[in-house]
Amino acid sequence: MPRHACRTLPLVLWLAALAGAGESPPADHRSDAWLNVRDCGASGSVFETTAAATAGSPQITVEQAGDFQVGQAVMVSKCNPHFERCILKPPDNPYSTAPLGDAAELRGYDGSGGSWLVFLAEVDSVDPLTFRWSDDMARTWKGEKVPITFDWQPLSSGVEIKFKKQDWQPGHMVVFQARDLLVSKIEKIEGNVLTLADAASRTVQDAVVRHCDTDALQAAVSRALREKRNVFIPAGHYRLTRGVSVANPAGLVLEGASSGETVLDISEGTGSCVSLALGTEVTVRNLRMVGHTGLGDGPGWHSFRTSSGKACWPVGLKPCSAMHIRDTERVLIENCHASKMNCEAFYCQGNSRSGTSEPKTYTKSLTYLRCSATNCDGNGFNNNDLAENTSVLHCRIVDVGGCTWEGASRFVRFIGNYVRNSGTVAMGNIGSRAEHLEQLGSGQHLVADNVFEGRTFYNRRPGGYIVRATCGATQVIVRNNLFVNYNSCAVEIIPGGDTRHLPTSNCTIAGNIMDMTAVGEDSRPRTAIHVGSSDVIVSGNQVYTRGPFDKEVTGIRLTEPAVNLIVHDNLLRNCGTGLTSDAVWSAVGEMVDPTTFVAGRGNVPMERRRSHCYRGWNLAWFRGGKPDGSSIVESFDPETFRFQLKEPREMKLDDRFEIFPPAANWLIHDNTVTGCLQPVVLGGHGSGTSLFRNNLIERGGATAAAQALAVIGQFKLINNHILGFDEGNGGTPAKP
């Protein structure tokens, strides 16, 4: 047997695939309302074979002709070294896809370093003029501060670059892909010789030839749109070099025979398997979509800092995703399953309402039903806009390196899903403090009836919160979820209000059962529930570990300067710390006059326009790590971010401060804390309206617990029940 025969599909298998290609669709897909992609030339065949190609000749000699047909497109490896997706990104926009033009010349790719490389050459200094470069999507820099000579300069795999003499600035990036794949159409078949429309540019003896169904699928969709028909994709493996575009659909259904046997494979391409743009209504169902980058195979879900100080996401240099949706009014994605995607597996971006203003076109309803994202290096699901009424229902998200869900959008339902070893369900991150966001709100979410197992895993690192609302999200409900053997943090609601975001508020965390037991790996520090936002209710949750207490676990953490917190009827068992509170700080970033300053680094929220604006609040100063007096806030300007004090103060740059209200309105009542090493620690500042009443604190199995209740701030302790702690073990609480 020839040494390359292992690359050829056994005859019986490709004959079976060929027989399947002739199968009739189900009866309900045979009417004139449906268009079969096979009728437009799509093969859906997994057949592949090896071939010999000669530079300059359009003829290739294949080991087996298999099921190839004249008129079909094929992809042939190794025989066509070339550059593609050549882009010049300006210093102020690392997302630009402007063509490279004549800003630089490229030559010499020989394929020695791989069949598909992504190069990035970035100007990193102008005096002297130098660049740094990478051939692995910025995972490593193979050269830094390399002088630009304006002559040919070597990179790797034979590639050379020649910069044009022009105004180069730090952050200018030349990005390009080096590939050896030939995509062409079969014009003639004579025995084992295929004549293609395009010639090879390199002589090879071991090229691999496979079907390419990109153009055929696109032709079917375009025809269906013109004829107002639906599209049926029979069982098969459809290889793509770019995605299928669905433009201005009006009730189109794109349906595969089954999600297990109808595969759209974009592992040799870039973009989205299916892209929707504009239109009124689309249903996509019963498809499996495969990309080129599984979990850990790519650069990871993170950005790097360019030499101009911008954030650049390297996954965008070689993107692949399952679905991309832009401004289609009503969308249903059902029983579609994505794997090995390095960008968002399912992605939506487009227009949205701004206060009372409504755009002509935007996504009003988007439902993902019984879908999955598994073994992906990027996000699972993402709405990168304020699209409305998105529902992620009964989906499976496993081994996803980015966020499980990321959404700034409005009125989201994340319900009934299963999540394991994946990133955060991230709500908010609006990226704007525009006034219209205070009229209609943003980031409203209902996260309910889900199962979260094992741990959070984001950007190749375990840990972090699996459910998190911050940076502008409002009206968030997290209820009735199960956390199973959860060795990471669970739920966090924090304001995140900085100069780019409005703070998060108005949330409820209720009825969740959180088993925080570490199984199969070392226990890591983690918190079940953390609340730092105002107007939040935490009620009816169970937080526990099985067996003795785990010192790494905190049950509930509350953080000032949040106001209007109600925490009641929670059961906290076998934690290191049961319930605790603390405060955030910020530092003076700019001094305007003796009574006015702007906050710099830190986490004190920059409040909304329609808020208390910190009028009459207390401000505690710290210098050199020690208390340094206090002030009263006269006002806070949410436009200029200036704090004005009632009395002048001698401030210094980077002085730290904490801010707290005269009336915090914290009501912590009727909770049960048992078996915890530190049952309750009430830190921070507190207030005259911070109440801790009718709680049960019991030693349980935590025999090493020294104190039932430690109080540092101003809290009123009313009618609490403390059992199992005698005075010698700290039964008397510390005084405020």
Side-chain angles (χ1 to χ4, degrees), residues 356-382:
T356 58
S357 174
E358 187 165 358
K360 183 178 180 180
T361 58
Y362 68 102
T363 300
K364 299 177 181 178
S365 175
L366 168 59
T367 300
Y368 299 102
L369 177 62
R370 297 187 300 115
C371 297
S372 69
T374 59
N375 188 26
C376 291
D377 213 34
N379 281 352
F381 298 82
N382 187 359

PDB file of all heavy atoms in Angstrom, residues 356-382:
ATOM      1  N   THR A 356     -35.958  56.899  23.640  1.00  0.00           N
ATOM      2  CA  THR A 356     -37.220  56.832  22.897  1.00  0.00           C
ATOM      3  C   THR A 356     -36.995  56.717  21.395  1.00  0.00           C
ATOM      4  O   THR A 356     -37.949  56.592  20.632  1.00  0.00           O
ATOM      5  CB  THR A 356     -38.063  58.085  23.183  1.00  0.00           C
ATOM      6  OG1 THR A 356     -37.319  59.256  22.812  1.00  0.00           O
ATOM      7  CG2 THR A 356     -38.422  58.168  24.663  1.00  0.00           C
ATOM      8  N   SER A 357     -35.743  56.752  20.956  1.00  0.00           N
ATOM      9  CA  SER A 357     -35.434  56.658  19.531  1.00  0.00           C
ATOM     10  C   SER A 357     -35.316  55.197  19.122  1.00  0.00           C
ATOM     11  O   SER A 357     -34.625  54.406  19.772  1.00  0.00           O
ATOM     12  CB  SER A 357     -34.121  57.389  19.233  1.00  0.00           C
ATOM     13  OG  SER A 357     -33.738  57.207  17.892  1.00  0.00           O
ATOM     14  N   GLU A 358     -35.986  54.833  18.023  1.00  0.00           N
ATOM     15  CA  GLU A 358     -35.992  53.448  17.560  1.00  0.00           C
ATOM     16  C   GLU A 358     -35.439  53.380  16.141  1.00  0.00           C
ATOM     17  O   GLU A 358     -35.945  54.046  15.240  1.00  0.00           O
ATOM     18  CB  GLU A 358     -37.408  52.882  17.597  1.00  0.00           C
ATOM     19  CG  GLU A 358     -37.481  51.397  17.297  1.00  0.00           C
ATOM     20  CD  GLU A 358     -38.819  50.786  17.699  1.00  0.00           C
ATOM     21  OE1 GLU A 358     -39.659  51.524  18.247  1.00  0.00           O
ATOM     22  OE2 GLU A 358     -39.016  49.592  17.478  1.00  0.00           O
ATOM     23  N   PRO A 359     -34.381  52.589  15.912  1.00  0.00           N
ATOM     24  CA  PRO A 359     -33.820  52.503  14.557  1.00  0.00           C
ATOM     25  C   PRO A 359     -34.767  51.780  13.613  1.00  0.00           C
ATOM     26  O   PRO A 359     -35.668  51.050  14.032  1.00  0.00           O
ATOM     27  CB  PRO A 359     -32.532  51.711  14.770  1.00  0.00           C
ATOM     28  CG  PRO A 359     -32.783  50.902  15.995  1.00  0.00           C
ATOM     29  CD  PRO A 359     -33.667  51.738  16.867  1.00  0.00           C
ATOM     30  N   LYS A 360     -34.538  51.960  12.337  1.00  0.00           N
ATOM     31  CA  LYS A 360     -35.392  51.331  11.333  1.00  0.00           C
ATOM     32  C   LYS A 360     -35.270  49.820  11.389  1.00  0.00           C
ATOM     33  O   LYS A 360     -36.264  49.095  11.242  1.00  0.00           O
ATOM     34  CB  LYS A 360     -35.017  51.852   9.945  1.00  0.00           C
ATOM     35  CG  LYS A 360     -35.892  51.307   8.827  1.00  0.00           C
ATOM     36  CD  LYS A 360     -35.507  51.897   7.481  1.00  0.00           C
ATOM     37  CE  LYS A 360     -36.392  51.343   6.370  1.00  0.00           C
ATOM     38  NZ  LYS A 360     -36.029  51.913   5.042  1.00  0.00           N
ATOM     39  N   THR A 361     -34.063  49.321  11.584  1.00  0.00           N
ATOM     40  CA  THR A 361     -33.844  47.876  11.653  1.00  0.00           C
ATOM     41  C   THR A 361     -32.987  47.553  12.870  1.00  0.00           C
ATOM     42  O   THR A 361     -31.982  48.220  13.122  1.00  0.00           O
ATOM     43  CB  THR A 361     -33.134  47.354  10.392  1.00  0.00           C
ATOM     44  OG1 THR A 361     -31.886  48.037  10.235  1.00  0.00           O
ATOM     45  CG2 THR A 361     -33.986  47.578   9.157  1.00  0.00           C
ATOM     46  N   TYR A 362     -33.384  46.556  13.617  1.00  0.00           N
ATOM     47  CA  TYR A 362     -32.568  46.033  14.714  1.00  0.00           C
ATOM     48  C   TYR A 362     -33.149  44.697  15.149  1.00  0.00           C
ATOM     49  O   TYR A 362     -34.279  44.342  14.799  1.00  0.00           O
ATOM     50  CB  TYR A 362     -32.486  47.012  15.886  1.00  0.00           C
ATOM     51  CG  TYR A 362     -33.775  47.253  16.653  1.00  0.00           C
ATOM     52  CD1 TYR A 362     -34.001  46.645  17.883  1.00  0.00           C
ATOM     53  CD2 TYR A 362     -34.756  48.113  16.156  1.00  0.00           C
ATOM     54  CE1 TYR A 362     -35.163  46.883  18.597  1.00  0.00           C
ATOM     55  CE2 TYR A 362     -35.913  48.360  16.860  1.00  0.00           C
ATOM     56  CZ  TYR A 362     -36.119  47.740  18.083  1.00  0.00           C
ATOM     57  OH  TYR A 362     -37.273  47.974  18.786  1.00  0.00           O
ATOM     58  N   THR A 363     -32.370  43.941  15.895  1.00  0.00           N
ATOM     59  CA  THR A 363     -32.821  42.631  16.347  1.00  0.00           C
ATOM     60  C   THR A 363     -33.754  42.794  17.540  1.00  0.00           C
ATOM     61  O   THR A 363     -33.348  43.273  18.593  1.00  0.00           O
ATOM     62  CB  THR A 363     -31.621  41.744  16.717  1.00  0.00           C
ATOM     63  OG1 THR A 363     -30.792  41.592  15.561  1.00  0.00           O
ATOM     64  CG2 THR A 363     -32.079  40.375  17.181  1.00  0.00           C
ATOM     65  N   LYS A 364     -34.995  42.349  17.355  1.00  0.00           N
ATOM     66  CA  LYS A 364     -36.010  42.484  18.396  1.00  0.00           C
ATOM     67  C   LYS A 364     -36.246  41.184  19.153  1.00  0.00           C
ATOM     68  O   LYS A 364     -36.764  41.203  20.269  1.00  0.00           O
ATOM     69  CB  LYS A 364     -37.325  42.954  17.774  1.00  0.00           C
ATOM     70  CG  LYS A 364     -37.234  44.309  17.086  1.00  0.00           C
ATOM     71  CD  LYS A 364     -38.552  44.684  16.428  1.00  0.00           C
ATOM     72  CE  LYS A 364     -38.444  46.031  15.712  1.00  0.00           C
ATOM     73  NZ  LYS A 364     -39.714  46.385  15.023  1.00  0.00           N
ATOM     74  N   SER A 365     -35.914  40.068  18.532  1.00  0.00           N
ATOM     75  CA  SER A 365     -36.110  38.772  19.182  1.00  0.00           C
ATOM     76  C   SER A 365     -35.096  37.783  18.628  1.00  0.00           C
ATOM     77  O   SER A 365     -35.009  37.591  17.415  1.00  0.00           O
ATOM     78  CB  SER A 365     -37.531  38.256  18.937  1.00  0.00           C
ATOM     79  OG  SER A 365     -37.687  36.954  19.466  1.00  0.00           O
ATOM     80  N   LEU A 366     -34.330  37.167  19.530  1.00  0.00           N
ATOM     81  CA  LEU A 366     -33.318  36.187  19.141  1.00  0.00           C
ATOM     82  C   LEU A 366     -33.361  35.048  20.144  1.00  0.00           C
ATOM     83  O   LEU A 366     -33.177  35.262  21.343  1.00  0.00           O
ATOM     84  CB  LEU A 366     -31.931  36.839  19.120  1.00  0.00           C
ATOM     85  CG  LEU A 366     -30.712  35.925  19.006  1.00  0.00           C
ATOM     86  CD1 LEU A 366     -30.773  35.081  17.739  1.00  0.00           C
ATOM     87  CD2 LEU A 366     -29.428  36.755  19.032  1.00  0.00           C
ATOM     88  N   THR A 367     -33.621  33.831  19.657  1.00  0.00           N
ATOM     89  CA  THR A 367     -33.736  32.671  20.536  1.00  0.00           C
ATOM     90  C   THR A 367     -32.769  31.581  20.098  1.00  0.00           C
ATOM     91  O   THR A 367     -32.750  31.188  18.926  1.00  0.00           O
ATOM     92  CB  THR A 367     -35.168  32.105  20.518  1.00  0.00           C
ATOM     93  OG1 THR A 367     -36.074  33.112  20.969  1.00  0.00           O
ATOM     94  CG2 THR A 367     -35.283  30.891  21.427  1.00  0.00           C
ATOM     95  N   TYR A 368     -31.963  31.121  21.062  1.00  0.00           N
ATOM     96  CA  TYR A 368     -31.140  29.931  20.874  1.00  0.00           C
ATOM     97  C   TYR A 368     -31.796  28.809  21.678  1.00  0.00           C
ATOM     98  O   TYR A 368     -31.906  28.905  22.906  1.00  0.00           O
ATOM     99  CB  TYR A 368     -29.723  30.155  21.388  1.00  0.00           C
ATOM    100  CG  TYR A 368     -28.971  31.264  20.698  1.00  0.00           C
ATOM    101  CD1 TYR A 368     -28.826  32.514  21.300  1.00  0.00           C
ATOM    102  CD2 TYR A 368     -28.381  31.072  19.455  1.00  0.00           C
ATOM    103  CE1 TYR A 368     -28.121  33.533  20.687  1.00  0.00           C
ATOM    104  CE2 TYR A 368     -27.671  32.087  18.828  1.00  0.00           C
ATOM    105  CZ  TYR A 368     -27.546  33.317  19.445  1.00  0.00           C
ATOM    106  OH  TYR A 368     -26.848  34.325  18.837  1.00  0.00           O
ATOM    107  N   LEU A 369     -32.221  27.752  21.008  1.00  0.00           N
ATOM    108  CA  LEU A 369     -32.946  26.674  21.662  1.00  0.00           C
ATOM    109  C   LEU A 369     -32.228  25.347  21.427  1.00  0.00           C
ATOM    110  O   LEU A 369     -31.999  24.953  20.281  1.00  0.00           O
ATOM    111  CB  LEU A 369     -34.377  26.604  21.123  1.00  0.00           C
ATOM    112  CG  LEU A 369     -35.263  25.474  21.656  1.00  0.00           C
ATOM    113  CD1 LEU A 369     -35.466  25.609  23.166  1.00  0.00           C
ATOM    114  CD2 LEU A 369     -36.610  25.476  20.937  1.00  0.00           C
ATOM    115  N   ARG A 370     -31.851  24.672  22.509  1.00  0.00           N
ATOM    116  CA  ARG A 370     -31.203  23.354  22.446  1.00  0.00           C
ATOM    117  C   ARG A 370     -29.946  23.381  21.576  1.00  0.00           C
ATOM    118  O   ARG A 370     -29.682  22.466  20.804  1.00  0.00           O
ATOM    119  CB  ARG A 370     -32.176  22.287  21.946  1.00  0.00           C
ATOM    120  CG  ARG A 370     -33.374  22.073  22.856  1.00  0.00           C
ATOM    121  CD  ARG A 370     -34.237  20.900  22.424  1.00  0.00           C
ATOM    122  NE  ARG A 370     -34.762  21.070  21.083  1.00  0.00           N
ATOM    123  CZ  ARG A 370     -34.443  20.298  20.051  1.00  0.00           C
ATOM    124  NH1 ARG A 370     -33.589  19.305  20.198  1.00  0.00           N
ATOM    125  NH2 ARG A 370     -34.990  20.511  18.871  1.00  0.00           N
ATOM    126  N   CYS A 371     -29.171  24.445  21.705  1.00  0.00           N
ATOM    127  CA  CYS A 371     -27.905  24.558  20.981  1.00  0.00           C
ATOM    128  C   CYS A 371     -26.752  24.204  21.917  1.00  0.00           C
ATOM    129  O   CYS A 371     -26.948  23.964  23.106  1.00  0.00           O
ATOM    130  CB  CYS A 371     -27.732  25.977  20.436  1.00  0.00           C
ATOM    131  SG  CYS A 371     -28.996  26.456  19.219  1.00  0.00           S
ATOM    132  N   SER A 372     -25.538  24.191  21.378  1.00  0.00           N
ATOM    133  CA  SER A 372     -24.385  23.942  22.237  1.00  0.00           C
ATOM    134  C   SER A 372     -23.156  24.633  21.679  1.00  0.00           C
ATOM    135  O   SER A 372     -23.043  24.879  20.476  1.00  0.00           O
ATOM    136  CB  SER A 372     -24.113  22.438  22.380  1.00  0.00           C
ATOM    137  OG  SER A 372     -23.649  21.882  21.161  1.00  0.00           O
ATOM    138  N   ALA A 373     -22.245  24.952  22.599  1.00  0.00           N
ATOM    139  CA  ALA A 373     -20.902  25.424  22.252  1.00  0.00           C
ATOM    140  C   ALA A 373     -19.944  24.600  23.091  1.00  0.00           C
ATOM    141  O   ALA A 373     -19.988  24.654  24.324  1.00  0.00           O
ATOM    142  CB  ALA A 373     -20.753  26.910  22.539  1.00  0.00           C
ATOM    143  N   THR A 374     -19.116  23.801  22.441  1.00  0.00           N
ATOM    144  CA  THR A 374     -18.195  22.921  23.151  1.00  0.00           C
ATOM    145  C   THR A 374     -16.823  22.986  22.500  1.00  0.00           C
ATOM    146  O   THR A 374     -16.698  23.185  21.288  1.00  0.00           O
ATOM    147  CB  THR A 374     -18.693  21.462  23.137  1.00  0.00           C
ATOM    148  OG1 THR A 374     -18.834  21.020  21.783  1.00  0.00           O
ATOM    149  CG2 THR A 374     -20.042  21.336  23.836  1.00  0.00           C
ATOM    150  N   ASN A 375     -15.798  22.821  23.332  1.00  0.00           N
ATOM    151  CA  ASN A 375     -14.414  22.802  22.849  1.00  0.00           C
ATOM    152  C   ASN A 375     -14.132  24.001  21.953  1.00  0.00           C
ATOM    153  O   ASN A 375     -13.672  23.869  20.819  1.00  0.00           O
ATOM    154  CB  ASN A 375     -14.116  21.495  22.108  1.00  0.00           C
ATOM    155  CG  ASN A 375     -12.640  21.349  21.766  1.00  0.00           C
ATOM    156  OD1 ASN A 375     -11.775  21.910  22.436  1.00  0.00           O
ATOM    157  ND2 ASN A 375     -12.340  20.606  20.710  1.00  0.00           N
ATOM    158  N   CYS A 376     -14.414  25.190  22.474  1.00  0.00           N
ATOM    159  CA  CYS A 376     -14.181  26.436  21.738  1.00  0.00           C
ATOM    160  C   CYS A 376     -13.177  27.290  22.503  1.00  0.00           C
ATOM    161  O   CYS A 376     -13.217  27.352  23.733  1.00  0.00           O
ATOM    162  CB  CYS A 376     -15.482  27.219  21.565  1.00  0.00           C
ATOM    163  SG  CYS A 376     -16.682  26.449  20.448  1.00  0.00           S
ATOM    164  N   ASP A 377     -12.311  27.990  21.777  1.00  0.00           N
ATOM    165  CA  ASP A 377     -11.307  28.827  22.426  1.00  0.00           C
ATOM    166  C   ASP A 377     -11.830  30.226  22.724  1.00  0.00           C
ATOM    167  O   ASP A 377     -11.169  30.998  23.407  1.00  0.00           O
ATOM    168  CB  ASP A 377     -10.052  28.920  21.550  1.00  0.00           C
ATOM    169  CG  ASP A 377      -8.779  29.037  22.383  1.00  0.00           C
ATOM    170  OD1 ASP A 377      -8.732  28.447  23.476  1.00  0.00           O
ATOM    171  OD2 ASP A 377      -7.834  29.714  21.938  1.00  0.00           O
ATOM    172  N   GLY A 378     -13.011  30.574  22.196  1.00  0.00           N
ATOM    173  CA  GLY A 378     -13.579  31.900  22.412  1.00  0.00           C
ATOM    174  C   GLY A 378     -14.862  31.837  23.215  1.00  0.00           C
ATOM    175  O   GLY A 378     -15.112  30.901  23.974  1.00  0.00           O
ATOM    176  N   ASN A 379     -15.711  32.858  23.046  1.00  0.00           N
ATOM    177  CA  ASN A 379     -16.989  32.914  23.749  1.00  0.00           C
ATOM    178  C   ASN A 379     -17.959  31.858  23.225  1.00  0.00           C
ATOM    179  O   ASN A 379     -17.895  31.460  22.058  1.00  0.00           O
ATOM    180  CB  ASN A 379     -17.645  34.283  23.558  1.00  0.00           C
ATOM    181  CG  ASN A 379     -17.051  35.344  24.463  1.00  0.00           C
ATOM    182  OD1 ASN A 379     -16.252  35.048  25.345  1.00  0.00           O
ATOM    183  ND2 ASN A 379     -17.438  36.587  24.245  1.00  0.00           N
ATOM    184  N   GLY A 380     -18.899  31.471  24.085  1.00  0.00           N
ATOM    185  CA  GLY A 380     -19.983  30.616  23.643  1.00  0.00           C
ATOM    186  C   GLY A 380     -21.049  31.419  22.922  1.00  0.00           C
ATOM    187  O   GLY A 380     -21.277  31.262  21.722  1.00  0.00           O
ATOM    188  N   PHE A 381     -21.715  32.316  23.661  1.00  0.00           N
ATOM    189  CA  PHE A 381     -22.771  33.167  23.110  1.00  0.00           C
ATOM    190  C   PHE A 381     -22.444  34.612  23.469  1.00  0.00           C
ATOM    191  O   PHE A 381     -22.022  34.900  24.584  1.00  0.00           O
ATOM    192  CB  PHE A 381     -24.137  32.795  23.698  1.00  0.00           C
ATOM    193  CG  PHE A 381     -24.582  31.386  23.389  1.00  0.00           C
ATOM    194  CD1 PHE A 381     -24.132  30.316  24.147  1.00  0.00           C
ATOM    195  CD2 PHE A 381     -25.456  31.134  22.347  1.00  0.00           C
ATOM    196  CE1 PHE A 381     -24.540  29.021  23.877  1.00  0.00           C
ATOM    197  CE2 PHE A 381     -25.873  29.841  22.063  1.00  0.00           C
ATOM    198  CZ  PHE A 381     -25.413  28.782  22.825  1.00  0.00           C
ATOM    199  N   ASN A 382     -22.699  35.538  22.527  1.00  0.00           N
ATOM    200  CA  ASN A 382     -22.353  36.934  22.781  1.00  0.00           C
ATOM    201  C   ASN A 382     -23.283  37.856  22.009  1.00  0.00           C
ATOM    202  O   ASN A 382     -23.427  37.721  20.800  1.00  0.00           O
ATOM    203  CB  ASN A 382     -20.903  37.204  22.354  1.00  0.00           C
ATOM    204  CG  ASN A 382     -20.423  38.600  22.743  1.00  0.00           C
ATOM    205  OD1 ASN A 382     -21.162  39.389  23.310  1.00  0.00           O
ATOM    206  ND2 ASN A 382     -19.180  38.897  22.434  1.00  0.00           N
TER     207      ASN A 382
END
